Amino acid sequence: MTGWSTLLSSLIGGLLALAGVLLAQIWAMRRDREARLWTRQADAYVALMRWRLSPPDDVAIANPHDLAEAEQEWKENAYPLLAELSLFGGPDLQAIFKQSPYLFQAVDQLAKIRPGELADVVHADITAGTRRSGIKEDQRLLSALARPRRRGERH
């Protein structure tokens, strides 16, 4: 009988050790996945801020036709970025994509947000990602920020 109890206790100990190793591996994979997603999201946000801070200069481009072409090219440069943000962006940016059925409308909406306010949106997204907050509060923030600019107002 002692042989069976020894065998059984060593078998249970081995199974518990195996289960512990498996759980540690699962948690490590989750942490690594979150770290990779966080890196992708951070890279996308940095690219978004770089794009938003580099609009065509309406003072340097005197010809209205040339300025319109430069603005169109500037907006078209954001399309690949928006594809990545639609996958990795937080609740505020997801709200823009849900409100805008077409990509060019989402670009127009992002272009209307002042750079400082867009930084607040990015910060809110990062904070919401860590808090897992709901999207309703974020939509109110976004609708307040995405108001049209008045003529002559600088970005």
Side-chain angles (χ1 to χ4, degrees), residues 9 11 15 18 24 26 61 65 71 77 97 99 126 154:
S9 66
L11 183 63
L15 288 175
L18 179 64
I26 289 171
I61 303 174
H65 179 70
E71 285 180 351
N77 288 338
F97 297 123
Q99 291 173 359
I126 291 171
R154 297 295 293 168

Side-chain angles (χ1 to χ4, degrees), residues 40-62:
R40 284 295 291 267
Q41 186 179 30
D43 290 345
Y45 284 142
V46 168
L48 173 66
M49 291 306 298
R50 278 192 185 132
W51 170 79
R52 185 58 189 94
L53 291 171
S54 64
D57 189 2
D58 54 349
V59 175
I61 303 174

Side-chain angles (χ1 to χ4, degrees), residues 61-154:
I61 303 174
N63 185 350
H65 179 70
D66 292 341
L67 179 62
E69 285 181 5
E71 285 180 351
Q72 183 62 31
E73 182 180 344
W74 174 66
K75 289 178 181 180
E76 288 173 359
N77 288 338
Y79 292 163
L81 168 65
L82 292 183
E84 190 168 357
L85 285 170
S86 68
L87 296 172
F88 298 107
D92 279 338
L93 292 174
Q94 293 298 325
I96 289 176
F97 297 123
K98 288 180 181 178
Q99 291 173 359
S100 307
Y102 300 106
L103 195 58
F104 70 90
Q105 289 174 332
V107 170
D108 287 342
Q109 199 163 1
L110 282 172
K112 290 176 187 175
I113 300 174
R114 293 183 188 102
E117 293 170 337
L118 187 58
D120 291 340
V121 170
V122 168
H123 183 268
D125 273 348
I126 291 171
T127 305
T130 57
R131 285 183 291 132
R132 306 283 190 242
S133 70
I135 198 166
K136 295 284 187 207
E137 178 182 327
D138 298 324
Q139 283 177 335
R140 278 187 278 126
L141 172 65
L142 179 64
S143 63
L145 293 177
R147 65 183 174 275
R149 286 192 304 216
R150 285 176 267 143
R151 186 153 177 84
E153 188 176 19
R154 297 295 293 168

